[in-house]
Short mmCIF file of all heavy atoms in Angstrom, two decimals:
data_model
loop_
_atom_site.label_atom_id
_atom_site.label_comp_id
_atom_site.label_asym_id
_atom_site.label_seq_id
_atom_site.Cartn_x
_atom_site.Cartn_y
_atom_site.Cartn_z
N ARG A 1 83.56 92.39 116.41
CA ARG A 1 82.76 93.37 115.68
C ARG A 1 82.98 94.77 116.24
O ARG A 1 82.97 95.77 115.61
CB ARG A 1 81.32 92.93 115.84
CG ARG A 1 81.00 91.84 114.96
CD ARG A 1 79.39 91.44 115.09
NE ARG A 1 79.12 90.27 114.46
CZ ARG A 1 78.89 90.11 113.12
NH1 ARG A 1 79.07 91.15 112.32
NH2 ARG A 1 78.52 88.96 112.71
N ALA A 2 83.02 94.82 117.61
CA ALA A 2 83.20 96.14 118.24
C ALA A 2 84.69 96.74 117.86
O ALA A 2 84.53 98.03 117.58
CB ALA A 2 83.07 96.13 119.78
N ALA A 3 85.59 96.04 117.82
CA ALA A 3 86.93 96.45 117.39
C ALA A 3 86.93 96.95 115.90
O ALA A 3 87.45 97.95 115.68
CB ALA A 3 87.96 95.36 117.68
N LEU A 4 86.32 96.15 115.07
CA LEU A 4 86.13 96.61 113.68
C LEU A 4 85.39 97.87 113.47
O LEU A 4 85.78 98.74 112.71
CB LEU A 4 85.48 95.48 112.87
CG LEU A 4 86.34 94.16 112.67
CD1 LEU A 4 85.44 93.00 112.20
CD2 LEU A 4 87.45 94.48 111.75
N ALA A 5 84.26 98.06 114.19
CA ALA A 5 83.43 99.26 114.20
C ALA A 5 84.32 100.42 114.72
O ALA A 5 84.15 101.47 114.06
CB ALA A 5 82.14 99.16 114.95
N ALA A 6 85.01 100.25 115.69
CA ALA A 6 85.90 101.41 116.44
C ALA A 6 86.96 101.72 115.41
O ALA A 6 87.43 102.86 115.34
CB ALA A 6 86.40 100.96 117.74
N ALA A 7 87.44 100.77 114.63
CA ALA A 7 88.56 101.05 113.73
C ALA A 7 88.11 101.99 112.60
O ALA A 7 89.00 102.65 111.91
CB ALA A 7 89.11 99.68 113.16
N ASP A 8 86.81 102.06 112.25
CA ASP A 8 86.21 102.97 111.32
C ASP A 8 87.11 102.88 109.90
O ASP A 8 87.72 103.75 109.52
CB ASP A 8 86.32 104.29 111.75
CG ASP A 8 85.45 105.38 110.97
OD1 ASP A 8 84.73 104.72 110.16
OD2 ASP A 8 85.60 106.54 111.15
N PHE A 9 87.01 101.71 109.25
CA PHE A 9 87.83 101.40 108.11
C PHE A 9 87.69 102.41 107.01
O PHE A 9 88.68 102.72 106.33
CB PHE A 9 87.45 100.07 107.56
CG PHE A 9 88.30 98.92 108.30
CD1 PHE A 9 88.18 98.72 109.57
CD2 PHE A 9 89.27 98.19 107.51
CE1 PHE A 9 88.94 97.72 110.24
CE2 PHE A 9 89.99 97.22 108.10
CZ PHE A 9 89.86 96.99 109.63
N PRO A 10 86.53 102.99 106.72
CA PRO A 10 86.34 104.01 105.68
C PRO A 10 87.32 105.27 105.91
O PRO A 10 87.71 105.83 104.89
CB PRO A 10 84.89 104.42 105.69
CG PRO A 10 84.20 103.22 106.24
CD PRO A 10 85.14 102.71 107.35
N ARG A 11 87.64 105.65 107.18
CA ARG A 11 88.51 106.69 107.44
C ARG A 11 89.97 106.40 107.61
O ARG A 11 90.73 107.16 107.86
CB ARG A 11 87.88 107.42 108.58
CG ARG A 11 86.48 107.89 108.38
CD ARG A 11 86.13 108.89 109.61
NE ARG A 11 84.66 109.09 109.52
CZ ARG A 11 84.20 110.21 108.85
NH1 ARG A 11 84.87 110.73 108.16
NH2 ARG A 11 82.84 110.28 108.95
N GLN A 12 90.24 105.07 107.59
CA GLN A 12 91.72 104.66 107.84
C GLN A 12 92.53 104.95 106.54
O GLN A 12 92.00 104.84 105.44
CB GLN A 12 91.78 103.22 108.16
CG GLN A 12 91.27 102.79 109.48
CD GLN A 12 92.23 102.84 110.58
OE1 GLN A 12 93.59 103.15 110.39
NE2 GLN A 12 91.75 102.84 111.80
N GLU A 13 93.83 105.23 106.83
CA GLU A 13 94.64 105.37 105.67
C GLU A 13 94.87 103.87 105.09
O GLU A 13 94.97 103.02 105.83
CB GLU A 13 96.01 105.86 106.13
CG GLU A 13 95.95 107.32 106.50
CD GLU A 13 97.37 107.91 106.66
OE1 GLU A 13 98.30 107.55 106.09
OE2 GLU A 13 97.40 108.73 107.58
N ARG A 14 95.00 103.80 103.89
CA ARG A 14 94.89 102.44 103.20
C ARG A 14 96.32 101.75 103.45
O ARG A 14 96.53 100.55 103.35
CB ARG A 14 94.78 102.47 101.61
CG ARG A 14 93.33 102.96 101.46
CD ARG A 14 92.32 102.00 101.79
NE ARG A 14 90.98 102.62 101.97
CZ ARG A 14 90.32 102.90 103.03
NH1 ARG A 14 90.84 102.42 104.24
NH2 ARG A 14 89.13 103.44 103.09
N VAL A 15 97.48 102.62 103.53
CA VAL A 15 98.78 102.10 103.75
C VAL A 15 99.30 102.76 105.00
O VAL A 15 99.37 104.05 105.13
CB VAL A 15 99.73 102.33 102.55
CG1 VAL A 15 101.06 102.01 102.73
CG2 VAL A 15 99.14 101.77 101.22
N GLN A 16 99.71 101.91 105.99
CA GLN A 16 100.24 102.51 107.27
C GLN A 16 101.57 101.73 107.65
O GLN A 16 101.52 100.73 108.29
CB GLN A 16 99.15 102.21 108.40
CG GLN A 16 97.75 102.93 108.02
CD GLN A 16 96.83 102.52 109.12
OE1 GLN A 16 97.17 102.30 110.27
NE2 GLN A 16 95.47 102.63 108.81
N PHE A 17 102.56 102.35 107.13
CA PHE A 17 103.90 101.76 107.51
C PHE A 17 104.61 102.92 108.19
O PHE A 17 104.78 104.08 107.80
CB PHE A 17 104.59 101.37 106.14
CG PHE A 17 104.03 100.19 105.53
CD1 PHE A 17 103.07 100.47 104.42
CD2 PHE A 17 104.05 99.05 106.01
CE1 PHE A 17 102.46 99.49 103.85
CE2 PHE A 17 103.48 97.84 105.50
CZ PHE A 17 102.66 98.11 104.41
N PRO A 18 105.43 102.40 109.23
CA PRO A 18 106.23 103.45 109.94
C PRO A 18 107.44 103.86 109.14
O PRO A 18 107.86 103.06 108.24
CB PRO A 18 106.70 102.66 111.17
CG PRO A 18 106.65 101.26 110.87
CD PRO A 18 105.50 101.13 109.86
N GLU A 19 108.03 105.06 109.41
CA GLU A 19 109.23 105.42 108.59
C GLU A 19 110.42 104.54 109.04
O GLU A 19 111.18 104.28 108.09
CB GLU A 19 109.52 106.87 109.00
CG GLU A 19 108.59 107.94 108.34
CD GLU A 19 109.14 109.31 108.30
OE1 GLU A 19 110.37 109.51 108.26
OE2 GLU A 19 108.31 110.24 108.25
N GLU A 20 110.59 104.19 110.13
CA GLU A 20 111.55 103.31 110.74
C GLU A 20 110.82 101.86 110.88
O GLU A 20 110.19 101.59 111.91
CB GLU A 20 112.20 103.66 111.94
CG GLU A 20 113.04 105.02 111.78
CD GLU A 20 114.19 104.80 110.89
OE1 GLU A 20 114.80 103.75 110.85
OE2 GLU A 20 114.50 105.70 109.99
N PRO A 21 111.09 100.90 109.97
CA PRO A 21 110.52 99.59 110.09
C PRO A 21 110.93 98.95 111.38
O PRO A 21 112.18 99.11 111.89
CB PRO A 21 110.90 98.85 108.90
CG PRO A 21 111.96 99.68 108.38
CD PRO A 21 111.93 100.97 108.77
N VAL A 22 110.15 98.07 111.98
CA VAL A 22 110.55 97.23 113.18
C VAL A 22 111.28 96.04 112.77
O VAL A 22 110.75 95.29 111.91
CB VAL A 22 109.22 96.87 113.87
CG1 VAL A 22 109.64 95.94 115.08
CG2 VAL A 22 108.62 98.03 114.51
N ARG A 23 112.51 95.81 113.28
CA ARG A 23 113.14 94.65 112.74
C ARG A 23 112.39 93.43 113.20
O ARG A 23 111.95 93.33 114.22
CB ARG A 23 114.60 94.54 113.27
CG ARG A 23 115.47 95.77 112.76
CD ARG A 23 116.90 95.44 113.00
NE ARG A 23 117.76 96.54 112.62
CZ ARG A 23 118.08 96.75 111.36
NH1 ARG A 23 117.71 96.00 110.31
NH2 ARG A 23 118.82 97.78 111.03
N ASP A 24 112.41 92.47 112.32
CA ASP A 24 111.56 91.21 112.50
C ASP A 24 110.17 91.44 112.89
O ASP A 24 109.46 90.60 113.56
CB ASP A 24 112.30 90.38 113.59
CG ASP A 24 113.74 89.87 113.00
OD1 ASP A 24 113.86 89.60 111.90
OD2 ASP A 24 114.61 89.92 113.93
N GLY A 25 109.59 92.62 112.53
CA GLY A 25 108.18 92.88 112.68
C GLY A 25 107.35 92.18 111.74
O GLY A 25 107.82 91.59 110.83
N PHE A 26 106.05 92.36 111.93
CA PHE A 26 105.09 91.79 110.93
C PHE A 26 104.49 92.91 110.05
O PHE A 26 104.35 93.98 110.50
CB PHE A 26 103.88 91.21 111.68
CG PHE A 26 104.31 89.90 112.46
CD1 PHE A 26 104.35 89.91 113.80
CD2 PHE A 26 104.44 88.77 111.81
CE1 PHE A 26 104.81 88.66 114.56
CE2 PHE A 26 104.82 87.67 112.45
CZ PHE A 26 104.94 87.55 113.82
N THR A 27 104.04 92.45 109.01
CA THR A 27 103.22 93.29 108.11
C THR A 27 101.79 92.67 108.02
O THR A 27 101.74 91.37 108.09
CB THR A 27 103.77 93.43 106.63
OG1 THR A 27 103.83 92.18 105.98
CG2 THR A 27 105.11 94.24 106.65
N TYR A 28 100.86 93.40 107.73
CA TYR A 28 99.41 92.94 107.85
C TYR A 28 98.68 93.37 106.59
O TYR A 28 98.80 94.51 106.17
CB TYR A 28 98.67 93.47 109.06
CG TYR A 28 99.43 92.95 110.28
CD1 TYR A 28 100.33 93.74 110.92
CD2 TYR A 28 98.94 91.82 111.06
CE1 TYR A 28 100.91 93.39 112.15
CE2 TYR A 28 99.44 91.48 112.19
CZ TYR A 28 100.48 92.24 112.79
OH TYR A 28 101.04 91.70 113.96
N GLN A 29 97.81 92.59 106.13
CA GLN A 29 96.82 93.07 105.06
C GLN A 29 95.55 92.63 105.84
O GLN A 29 95.18 91.52 106.18
CB GLN A 29 96.87 92.13 103.77
CG GLN A 29 95.85 92.51 102.79
CD GLN A 29 95.60 91.26 101.83
OE1 GLN A 29 95.89 90.16 102.08
NE2 GLN A 29 94.86 91.66 100.79
N ILE A 30 94.73 93.73 106.00
CA ILE A 30 93.35 93.51 106.64
C ILE A 30 92.32 93.99 105.76
O ILE A 30 92.38 95.25 105.16
CB ILE A 30 93.46 94.50 108.02
CG1 ILE A 30 94.64 94.16 108.96
CG2 ILE A 30 92.17 94.32 108.72
CD1 ILE A 30 94.86 95.15 109.87
N VAL A 31 91.30 93.14 105.51
CA VAL A 31 90.23 93.37 104.59
C VAL A 31 88.99 93.29 105.34
O VAL A 31 88.64 92.27 106.04
CB VAL A 31 90.24 92.42 103.45
CG1 VAL A 31 89.04 92.67 102.43
CG2 VAL A 31 91.57 92.51 102.67
N HIS A 32 88.16 94.34 105.34
CA HIS A 32 86.89 94.31 106.01
C HIS A 32 85.91 95.43 105.48
O HIS A 32 86.31 96.50 104.97
CB HIS A 32 87.03 94.84 107.54
CG HIS A 32 85.83 95.21 108.22
ND1 HIS A 32 84.88 94.18 108.44
CD2 HIS A 32 85.40 96.27 108.68
CE1 HIS A 32 83.79 94.80 109.18
NE2 HIS A 32 84.05 96.05 109.27
N GLY A 33 84.72 95.03 105.12
CA GLY A 33 83.65 95.90 104.71
C GLY A 33 84.04 96.51 103.33
O GLY A 33 83.68 97.63 103.05
N GLY A 34 84.75 95.89 102.48
CA GLY A 34 85.17 96.37 101.19
C GLY A 34 86.42 97.29 101.24
O GLY A 34 86.81 97.74 100.31
N TYR A 35 86.94 97.43 102.32
CA TYR A 35 88.23 98.21 102.51
C TYR A 35 89.37 97.34 102.86
O TYR A 35 89.19 96.29 103.54
CB TYR A 35 88.13 99.22 103.59
CG TYR A 35 87.00 100.15 103.32
CD1 TYR A 35 85.68 100.00 103.90
CD2 TYR A 35 87.13 101.31 102.63
CE1 TYR A 35 84.66 100.95 103.52
CE2 TYR A 35 86.17 102.20 102.27
CZ TYR A 35 84.85 101.99 102.73
OH TYR A 35 83.90 102.89 102.49
N GLU A 36 90.58 97.66 102.26
CA GLU A 36 91.85 96.83 102.48
C GLU A 36 92.85 97.91 102.96
O GLU A 36 93.06 98.89 102.44
CB GLU A 36 92.25 96.17 101.23
CG GLU A 36 93.45 95.40 101.39
CD GLU A 36 93.75 94.57 100.13
OE1 GLU A 36 92.91 94.56 99.14
OE2 GLU A 36 94.91 94.10 100.02
N ILE A 37 93.45 97.40 104.09
CA ILE A 37 94.50 98.25 104.81
C ILE A 37 95.83 97.36 104.70
O ILE A 37 95.81 96.30 105.20
CB ILE A 37 94.15 98.69 106.13
CG1 ILE A 37 92.96 99.53 106.05
CG2 ILE A 37 95.32 99.37 106.78
CD1 ILE A 37 92.35 99.93 107.30
N GLY A 38 96.80 97.92 104.38
CA GLY A 38 98.25 97.40 104.51
C GLY A 38 98.98 98.15 105.61
O GLY A 38 98.97 99.31 105.71
#
């Protein structure tokens, strides 16, 4: 709960991908409080 509150989902960018992808890295779909972040 503390990590979710600190992440401040309403102010996060909805899509957060680096310009240079990490080889064999993970992608995430995170849904919290009516907000979805990729």
Side-chain angles (χ1 to χ4, degrees):
R1 287 183 188 280
L4 289 166
D8 196 11
F9 274 66
R11 296 186 193 277
Q12 289 273 348
E13 291 185 38
R14 300 293 162 244
V15 179
Q16 300 180 23
F17 293 99
E19 284 197 29
E20 291 295 321
V22 174
R23 294 200 185 280
D24 298 324
F26 290 108
T27 59
Y28 299 87
Q29 175 203 20
I30 307 167
V31 180
H32 168 66
Y35 297 95
E36 181 174 349
I37 296 173

